[in-house]
């Protein structure tokens, strides 16, 4: 009886959202204020993110986002080849979505600014619902123009042009299951390496047995990513999801990740999340931890992000909803998420251990704690 | 032979018509529950994508859309 009572109490919740599955609708009017914190590998990144979305009339929805990364870095690269630094990245974006029948067209503009990096991206998206609103197909195109600078060298200025092509498909499979497919190609052209980062090569004349020189990347990169996601509603008010993504690029990196998650609603106010994610990648063709001699090949890099590694994430989250239908407010919620990420590198060595011969240092590993605390308001 | 031709013609005609929704609108209450969203909170999804993008070689086909970033 209690179970049926619960189902009965949930009916209005279903009815509230049900219209979104009967016709294309614009995203909900809501505002979010998030504080984020990343701490791992000697790097601390904190800051706010404010996202506001409001409809204008029946057919238009506008959004704006203000996001900050306040970075304090003493990472393994910085410790071994440079000195610790602090900087701030500010990102602002505005977007507008237009609904016509079962079609939504969206246009957005994003600008990201750092003292040594400027990025501007314009994005266009189109989605169409089909077959009794059981299927949604979407496609998108984005173009980004970046300008790379270098601290201490005002004359240094390099360009990067990025293009993204996306297609997607969402499908209702059963009354309990949703499928989502995505494919994206990204092309980059320009200065793609980091102007501060160096590679190391064997050098008998050096006391440590190796020396450094600036890295040199190819000036083009093309990547493809394909993802499949499934979401299943369990007999109780809980859901499980699975996600798999396969990635490859023209630099020789092959990556895939798998994620499993469980979401559990408790009473009408609480939602709990649990997830596990594992990611693996192979190195880029021009990556090496230690090159045999200076300029030993056309391109050379020693960025751990293009090395061979595995990362694993365990995440938990809790969300509490309140203020239901209070004045102009539909509802509000307070959410907290915590992710623990473990990075395990297979060919990137920890050079802080100077006792080992060059090339025999221990492999690098580190863990990161990622926190999110956010307040959401629907109106 | 005539029967096979008729069957093939019928199949072709079926292929031309739009498929009937096999999950009726009144059966979609569970799918409309917030716990059945691939990206329940866009502000959080965008941040999580950014955390991974900045530290992994892979990119694209993420759940939810992030903005452009100066990740280098």
């Amino acid at each position: 009886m209690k179970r049926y009572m619960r189902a009965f109490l949930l009916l209005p919740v279903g009815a509230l959202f049900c219209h979104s599955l009967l016709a294309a609708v614009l995203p909900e009017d809501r505002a979010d204020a998030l504080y984020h914190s990343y701490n791992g590998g000697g790097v601390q990144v904190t800051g706010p993110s404010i996202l506001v979305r409001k409809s204008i009339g029946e057919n238009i929805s506008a959004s704006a986002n203000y996001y900050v990364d306040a970075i304090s870095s003493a990472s393994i690269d910085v410790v071994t080849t440079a000195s610790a630094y602090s900087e701030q990245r500010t990102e602002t974006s505005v977007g507008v979505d237009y609904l016509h029948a079962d079609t939504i067209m969206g246009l957005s503009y994003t600008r990201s600014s750092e003292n040594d990096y400027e990025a501007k991206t314009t994005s266009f998206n189109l989605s169409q619902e089909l077959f009794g609103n059981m299927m949604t197909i979407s496609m998108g195109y984005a173009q980004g123009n970046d300008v790379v600078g270098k601290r201490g060298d005002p004359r240094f200025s390099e360009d990067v042009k990025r293009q993204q092509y996306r297609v997607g498909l969402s499908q209702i499979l059963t009354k309990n299951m949703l499928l989502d497919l995505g494919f994206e190609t990204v092309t980059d052209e320009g200065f793609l390496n980091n102007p501060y980062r160096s590679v190391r090569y064997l050098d008998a004349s050096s006391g440590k047995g190796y020396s450094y020189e600036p890295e040199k990347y190819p000036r083009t990169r093309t990547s493809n990513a394909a993802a499949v996601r499934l979401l299943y509603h369990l007999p109780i008010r809980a859901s499980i999801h699975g996600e798999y993504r396969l990635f490859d690029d023209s630099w020789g990196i092959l990556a895939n990740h798998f994620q499993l998650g469980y979401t559990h609603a408790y009473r009408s106010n609480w939602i709990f999340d649990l997830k596990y994610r594992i990611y693996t990648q192979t190195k880029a063709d021009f990556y090496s931890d230690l090159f045999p001699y200076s300029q030993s090949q056309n391109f050379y890099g020693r960025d751990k992000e293009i090395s061979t590694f595995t990362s694993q994430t365990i995440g938990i989250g809790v969300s509490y909803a309140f203020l239901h239908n209070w004045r102009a407010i539909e509802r509000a919620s307070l959410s907290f998420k915590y992710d623990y990420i473990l990075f395990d590198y297979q060919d990137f060595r920890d050079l802080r251990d100077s006792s080992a011969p060059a090339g025999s240092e221990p492999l690098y590993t580190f863990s990161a704690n990622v926190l999110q605390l956010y307040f959401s308001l629907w109106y | 032979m005539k029967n096979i031709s008729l069957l093939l013609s019928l199949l072709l005609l079926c292929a031309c018509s739009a498929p009937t929704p096999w999950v009726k609108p009144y059966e979609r209450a569970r799918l409309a529950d917030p716990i059945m969203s691939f990206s329940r909170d866009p502000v959080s999804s965008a941040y999580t994508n950014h955390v991974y993008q900045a530290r992994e070689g892979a990119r694209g086909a993420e759940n939810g859309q992030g903005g452009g970033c100066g990740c280098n």
Side-chain angles (χ1 to χ4, degrees):
Chain A
M1 187 63 191
K2 198 174 171 184
R3 188 197 298 174
Y4 294 121
M5 274 298 286
R6 194 188 304 160
F8 178 75
L9 287 171
L10 290 174
L11 271 176
V13 178
L16 189 69
F17 295 95
C18 203
H19 70 281
S20 68
L21 293 165
L22 304 179
V25 290
L26 290 165
E28 297 171 292
D29 287 355
R30 63 182 285 181
D32 298 87
L34 176 143
Y35 170 78
H36 60 85
S37 168
Y38 171 95
N39 197 341
V43 178
Q44 187 167 27
V45 187
T46 58
S49 177
I50 312 290
L51 175 62
V52 179
R53 180 174 277 280
K54 180 80 180 83
S55 54
I56 305 164
E58 298 268 304
N59 300 94
I60 295 173
S61 173
S63 66
N65 182 218
Y66 173 76
Y67 176 95
V68 174
D69 273 338
I71 305 157
S72 169
S73 180
S75 69
I76 179 86
D77 296 325
V78 168
V79 167
T80 51
T81 61
S83 50
Y85 67 90
S86 295
E87 66 178 6
Q88 181 168 304
R89 184 176 77 86
T90 304
E91 183 182 299
T92 50
S93 64
V94 289
V96 62
D97 292 294
Y98 174 68
L99 169 71
H100 176 74
D102 281 337
T103 307
I104 296 177
M105 288 164 273
L107 189 66
S108 65
Y109 176 77
T110 301
R111 180 176 178 182
S112 168
S113 298
E114 293 170 71
N115 58 5
D116 55 359
Y117 206 104
E118 282 282 328
K120 295 171 184 170
T121 306
T122 307
S123 178
F124 175 73
N125 294 293
L126 179 72
S127 70
Q128 172 73 45
E129 297 205 356
L130 299 166
F131 308 134
N133 306 102
M134 289 199 33
M135 177 191 283
T136 304
I137 55 169
S138 59
M139 58 190 77
Y141 171 75
Q143 181 171 308
N145 293 289
D146 303 358
V147 178
V148 187
K150 190 176 181 182
R151 286 188 300 272
D153 185 357
R155 288 176 302 172
F156 184 94
S157 178
E158 292 275 0
D159 295 332
V160 180
K161 186 177 179 184
R162 304 179 190 279
Q163 297 191 84
Q164 295 166 265
Y165 306 84
R166 290 186 288 266
V167 289
L169 184 148
S170 294
Q171 174 72 50
I172 295 175
L173 290 180
T174 71
K175 59 184 179 183
N176 292 315
M177 192 186 291
L178 297 171
L179 168 74
D180 187 69
L181 302 173
F183 182 83
E184 183 168 343
T185 293
V186 184
T187 63
D188 301 328
E189 193 175 352
F191 186 83
L192 302 179
N193 48 291
N194 183 321
Y196 309 106
R197 190 170 284 118
S198 301
V199 298
R200 64 173 187 151
Y201 59 92
L202 283 171
D203 182 2
S205 65
S206 164
K208 290 188 287 189
Y210 59 85
S211 295
Y212 289 100
E213 62 182 337
E215 65 179 11
K216 187 182 174 191
Y217 281 20
R219 290 186 67 85
T220 60
R221 183 187 187 195
T222 301
S223 67
N224 298 300
V228 55
R229 298 178 181 87
L230 276 172
L231 190 53
Y232 180 73
H233 197 297
L234 295 167
I236 55 171
R237 194 174 168 225
S239 65
I240 51 171
H241 78 261
E243 172 179 322
Y244 175 76
R245 182 180 68 173
L246 180 64
F247 169 92
D248 82 336
D249 72 4
S250 57
W251 288 359
I253 296 173
L254 179 69
N256 56 68
H257 85 247
F258 184 73
Q259 181 171 306
L260 265 180
Y262 175 75
T263 300
H264 188 101
Y266 177 66
R267 296 188 172 167
S268 58
N269 288 4
W270 296 90
I271 295 179
F272 298 92
D273 292 294
L274 186 66
K275 75 169 183 189
Y276 172 74
R277 178 184 189 267
I278 182 163
Y279 170 90
T280 58
Q281 74 169 52
T282 61
K283 70 181 181 73
D285 297 333
F286 54 89
Y287 170 87
S288 178
D289 179 66
L290 180 61
F291 288 90
Y293 51 90
S294 173
Q295 298 182 24
S296 59
Q297 48 192 63
N298 289 340
F299 303 112
Y300 28 92
R302 192 181 169 271
D303 181 353
K304 63 184 183 299
E305 276 92 55
I306 59 168
S307 71
T308 305
F309 73 91
T310 300
S311 80
Q312 295 183 77
T313 306
I314 293 174
I316 56 168
V318 58
S319 181
Y320 177 72
F322 54 101
L323 285 182
H324 292 279
N325 298 316
W326 184 72
R327 299 192 176 179
I329 296 166
E330 197 176 283
R331 71 183 193 279
S333 74
L334 190 63
S335 306
F336 173 76
K337 285 186 179 173
Y338 169 70
D339 286 349
Y340 175 81
I341 314 177
L342 182 65
F343 294 88
D344 198 6
Y345 296 89
Q346 269 105 69
D347 51 13
F348 181 83
R349 296 186 180 277
D350 187 346
L351 306 189
R352 291 172 300 183
D353 183 353
S354 55
S355 61
S360 302
E361 300 90 348
L363 292 168
Y364 184 58
T365 181
F366 79 97
S367 61
N369 295 300
V370 186
L371 303 175
Q372 298 176 58
L373 179 66
Y374 55 98
F375 174 71
S376 309
L377 204 61
W378 286 260
Y379 41 83
Chain B
M1 189 64 192
K2 198 175 174 183
N3 286 343
I4 292 173
S5 301
L6 189 64
L7 189 65
L8 280 174
S9 304
L10 276 173
L11 279 174
L12 280 171
L13 277 174
C14 286
C16 291
S17 65
T20 309
W22 60 86
V23 180
K24 305 295 180 200
Y26 56 84
E27 294 178 310
R28 299 181 194 175
R30 279 186 161 181
L31 300 176
D33 192 314
I35 65 168
M36 287 296 284
S37 170
F38 285 106
S39 177
R40 198 168 73 230
D41 299 313
V43 72
S44 174
S45 304
Y47 172 68
T48 305
N49 290 339
H50 174 61
V51 166
Y52 290 124
Q53 273 179 10
R55 290 160 190 90
E56 295 175 348
R59 60 189 182 173
E62 285 98 355
N63 196 11
Q65 291 167 21
C69 72
C71 300
N72 277 2

